[in-house]
Amino acid sequence: MTILQENLLLVPGPTNLSARVREAMAEPQMSHVGSEFYESFTEIVKLARYAFRNENGIQFVFTGSGTVGMESAVVSTVCRGDRVLVVDTGYFGRRLTLINQAHGAKVDELLYPDGAHATPEDLRKKLSENKYKAVFMTHVETATSVRNAIGDLVKECRNAGVFSVVDSVCGLGGEPLDFDRLGADIVFTCSQKAIAAPPGAALLATSKEIQDYFGKRQDPIESYYMNLLRWKPVMDDPKIYLATPAVQVLRAVRVALMELKEEGLEARWARHHQLGEMVRKRVTELGLPLVADQGFRADTTTAFRVKNGTSAAIQKTLEQKHHIVVARGISEDRDRIIRLGHFGILTLDTLSRALDSLASVVEDVGAVDRATVGVPTLH
Ligand code: PMP
């Protein structure tokens, strides 16, 4: 297939790559044994610490998508029969439940309708009713673009003496997050979202407490690869072989993390906030209701409602006429939700032009429907 014109990716991952990141992938194939890899990997772990603001905990980077990060966190934490709580604010909360169940955990859910955010009061109540091994929660729910107040939620877990695990796949690098100050036991993300690298690397930070527990748990961790006990020594000494890393992806991750550091984490958060504000303003002006609760809207991604049945036409027209790729709702919301990812290297200028295109397509396909305002759906 010949690509005539490059698409602008406005999907919630994977995202657009900088020229330097692309060039890094085109460099000669690197071996995972040898000083070039060892040095480069050591630097990646250091840069990942910067992106997570993780000086005190353990830092992981290994090959896999975000789901590998999720499953590593789950399988390393739970033993069969353990009772856990999942704060389910959407599709990816539900995935946390499914992964926990796959590993034999008994899952209670703190379930919210699509667009709603989790509250510390609800969590406190749940935590007072049962003793849980761990609480799993999503920072930015990519299906609805709700940004949960993870600081408040993690605090409740700490007060109750329960491990807290945060999926920040759609947050880290674009939304303020400070691992050391947050006090969570595990935070994970992956390479293809706000870090702006290609898919293929899972990045996690763990607290010393949970890492100690991994070493002491009664039943062994029921995974060879997705095992945070096994990966830890590799992070300290990349000469240890556990599995062949996706070396070209890691080349790109290194450069993407360097670019993140060059910009500076706080400047990057501020830019993402401007991107988020621009999308929310422009989409709202078009008469398209945002899915997420006010005050809990992510800066990295935005989901909005369109007239039922028009999302496919919007997606197709934007790609064919404007070379812009957007996502539709996940699962049963496919036909009435459009999701935009606005993170990574995206500039305000590029976003503004893309939103002009969106406006013209919305008009062309007649996607505004005021009847969709405020219709909450349970996922
Ligand atoms: N969690 C969240 C919040 C996500 O948005 C995604 C991916 N969209 C995942 C987990 C899973 O990541 P991956 O598709 O890379 O496995």
Side-chain angles (χ1 to χ4, degrees):
M1 185 180 102
T2 317
I3 297 172
L4 295 175
Q5 183 174 342
E6 198 169 301
N7 285 332
L8 174 73
L9 302 188
L10 276 191
V11 292
T15 187
N16 310 289
L17 303 179
S18 74
R20 277 162 80 198
V21 169
R22 293 185 197 201
E23 282 157 16
M25 273 191 296
E27 281 173 14
Q29 176 75 24
M30 185 168 48
S31 161
H32 64 298
V33 294
S35 56
E36 190 192 5
F37 177 72
Y38 301 150
E39 275 165 35
S40 151
F41 189 76
T42 305
E43 196 186 344
I44 291 172
V45 174
K46 212 164 136 199
L47 288 164
R49 283 192 177 279
Y50 173 81
F52 277 74
R53 290 228 165 129
N54 171 19
E55 280 183 26
N56 302 331
I58 293 103
Q59 183 68 49
F60 297 86
V61 180
F62 52 84
T63 301
S65 78
T67 307
V68 168
M70 292 173 110
E71 194 148 0
S72 306
V74 170
V75 71
S76 299
T77 303
V78 300
C79 303
R80 268 172 204 284
D82 276 348
R83 191 162 198 161
V84 302
L85 181 66
V86 170
V87 178
D88 179 342
T89 46
Y91 179 89
F92 288 101
R94 177 86 191 129
R95 183 172 294 185
L96 286 168
T97 295
L98 295 173
I99 295 173
N100 267 288
Q101 286 170 340
H103 292 287
K106 293 193 195 111
V107 183
D108 284 356
E109 287 168 299
L110 183 52
L111 183 65
Y112 290 91
D114 281 350
H117 66 282
T119 71
E121 294 75 25
D122 292 343
L123 178 58
R124 196 177 315 146
K125 186 163 175 292
K126 272 279 186 197
L127 289 173
S128 70
E129 287 165 4
N130 276 299
K131 180 72 191 147
Y132 294 106
K133 168 65 83 52
V135 176
F136 295 82
M137 64 190 84
T138 316
H139 184 191
V140 172
E141 170 49 66
T142 321
T144 61
S145 61
V146 164
R147 176 185 54 214
N148 282 305
I150 45 164
D152 296 340
L153 301 176
V154 167
K155 207 157 142 197
E156 294 300 330
C157 299
R158 288 187 74 81
N159 290 343
V162 180
F163 288 136
S164 52
V165 180
V166 179
D167 172 347
S168 190
V169 163
C170 199
L172 198 133
E175 298 280 354
L177 188 147
D178 183 325
F179 178 75
D180 284 335
R181 286 183 55 192
L182 179 63
D185 292 289
I186 307 182
V187 173
F188 57 85
T189 189
C190 56
S191 46
Q192 77 271 22
K193 306 244 180 185
I195 289 175
L203 300 91
L204 302 89
T206 65
S207 68
K208 291 218 169 76
E209 290 77 15
I210 201 160
Q211 201 68 36
D212 285 349
Y213 153 78
F214 294 155
K216 284 193 256 163
R217 45 178 278 175
Q218 283 170 318
D219 306 333
I221 295 172
E222 290 193 15
S223 173
Y224 176 81
Y225 186 82
M226 288 179 282
N227 182 325
L228 296 178
L229 204 52
R230 256 185 225 283
W231 276 114
K232 180 171 179 298
V234 183
M235 298 303 120
D236 299 331
D237 180 4
K239 294 193 181 81
I240 299 170
Y241 166 69
L242 200 149
T244 308
V247 281
Q248 297 310 93
V249 170
L250 288 181
R251 277 193 189 282
V253 170
R254 178 174 151 272
V255 176
L257 286 170
M258 273 166 47
E259 290 185 341
L260 180 149
K261 194 171 177 195
E262 280 161 16
E263 181 174 9
L265 209 40
E266 277 174 24
R268 200 171 177 99
W269 295 339
R271 176 170 56 83
H272 280 77
H273 185 58
Q274 287 178 309
L275 293 167
E277 291 274 280
M278 181 187 279
V279 174
R280 290 188 285 274
K281 181 168 178 290
R282 299 276 298 272
V283 166
T284 308
E285 279 168 4
L286 291 176
L288 302 167
L290 304 173
V291 176
D293 281 354
Q294 188 154 20
F296 295 86
R297 293 170 179 159
D299 287 329
T300 48
T301 183
T302 299
F304 54 88
R305 296 182 198 284
V306 293
K307 191 174 184 177
N308 201 4
T310 61
S311 66
I314 295 172
Q315 188 185 49
K316 191 170 163 200
T317 315
L318 270 171
E319 181 163 1
Q320 290 187 346
K321 271 178 71 178
H322 302 273
H323 305 284
I324 296 169
V325 189
V326 300
R328 295 165 65 191
I330 296 186
S331 55
E332 71 263 36
D333 274 335
R334 288 180 69 69
D335 295 334
R336 51 177 184 258
I337 283 182
I338 290 285
R339 295 178 306 127
L340 306 179
H342 32 89
F343 45 45
I345 61 166
L346 191 66
T347 63
L348 285 166
D349 198 40
T350 306
L351 178 64
S352 176
R353 278 185 275 118
L355 291 170
D356 290 343
S357 304
L358 173 73
S360 74
V361 172
V362 161
E363 169 82 30
D364 287 352
V365 305
V368 180
D369 177 4
R370 291 190 188 277
T372 59
V373 178
V375 187
T377 50
L378 268 176
H379 53 272

